[in-house]
Amino acid sequence: LAAVGGMAPFELSSFVGEFVDSLGNEVRTLAGPHGVQVFLAAPGGVGKEVQLLVKQVGSSFQCGHYDLDEAQSSPMRIVWRDKRWADRFTAWER
C-alpha cells in the first residue's frame, strides 16, 4: 500500500467520493468490481462525461495515463502525474 507523509497508506477506498479537479471538472467516484470507477464532467454538465478507472498497480495507483503522486497527495487532495508529460498533473480536491 502507498504510504503518504507518515499517514495511513492509500487503498482503493481512498479514492471513493466527490471531488473537483484542478481543471474545474466535477469528479465522482464509485467502488467497482475492477477498481474505482471515475466519472468526470465539465462544470455545469457541459459536454460528454468521461469514464475512467483507478486501479492498483504494484504498490501504487493509476487513473488513465496518470500515476498517483504519493508524496504530494493527502486524503483531501489527490495529485495525479501524467505519465506522458512529467510536468503535467491534475489534483482532485474534496
Side-chain angles (χ1 to χ4, degrees):
L1 297 176
V4 178
M7 303 168 112
F10 276 105
E11 46 192 47
L12 281 172
S13 62
S14 304
F15 305 102
V16 175
E18 294 185 5
F19 305 84
V20 174
D21 74 12
S22 51
L23 302 174
N25 296 306
E26 297 169 7
V27 181
R28 284 184 310 114
T29 63
L30 303 167
H34 303 291
V36 173
Q37 295 175 296
V38 178
F39 303 91
L40 293 172
V46 176
K48 189 175 180 180
E49 182 176 71
V50 175
Q51 295 184 26
L52 299 166
L53 185 70
V54 173
K55 59 186 177 182
Q56 187 163 359
V57 178
S59 63
S60 194
F61 298 90
Q62 290 180 348
C63 182
H65 60 273
Y66 286 79
D67 290 326
L68 175 65
D69 184 333
E70 299 164 26
Q72 297 296 316
S73 294
S74 71
M76 298 304 290
R77 184 173 190 265
I78 299 171
V79 179
W80 299 97
R81 294 271 170 204
D82 192 318
K83 291 192 287 189
R84 300 176 299 186
W85 306 95
D87 61 333
R88 291 187 188 174
F89 73 94
T90 186
W92 297 357
E93 304 240 5
R94 288 191 192 270

